Amino acid sequence: MSQGFGSESPRAHTQTSHRKPARYLVVIDSGGFVIARLFLDTRELVAEFDAATEEATQMTAGLVPLKGADGPEWDRALEGHSAAERSVAYVYTLDV
């Protein structure tokens, strides 16, 4: 039987680098569902969720989107979407 009481003490915190903040939010139709996709400044996908969520609304409040994600910089990031879907997508540049 253990002679200890209570919970174990937390371990010492180790300093690690944090993930880069998302730079772009793309609101795009995906087969009939509107989704929001978060990208780093390198156009690397970091999250994807339903665009109708409160979080998506909060992130885009006061921002003016660019219409269309059909530039060459989006080719790899949005390769699963059709040209028609990409042309009507909204691209928000998030404040970092």
Side-chain angles (χ1 to χ4, degrees):
M1 184 171 205
S2 172
Q3 297 298 320
F5 295 96
S7 300
E8 180 181 345
S9 297
R11 299 190 196 294
H13 181 72
T14 56
Q15 294 293 336
T16 59
S17 61
H18 294 277
R19 183 170 39 169
K20 290 181 178 181
R23 183 74 173 140
Y24 301 103
L25 177 94
V26 178
V27 177
I28 191 167
D29 187 308
S30 181
F33 296 98
V34 181
I35 58 171
R37 301 181 84 185
L38 283 171
F39 293 93
L40 298 176
D41 55 355
T42 60
R43 308 301 199 281
E44 177 186 346
L45 179 67
V46 292
E48 180 177 296
F49 51 93
D50 184 2
T53 62
E54 183 179 346
E55 290 81 3
T57 305
Q58 289 174 348
M59 281 191 274
T60 59
L63 299 177
V64 179
L66 296 174
K67 187 163 184 184
D70 40 12
E73 67 273 14
W74 291 106
D75 286 347
R76 186 162 185 222
L78 299 173
E79 65 188 354
H81 294 278
S82 69
E85 291 172 341
R86 289 177 55 184
S87 67
V88 295
Y90 290 101
V91 180
Y92 294 88
T93 303
L94 302 174
D95 296 329
V96 181

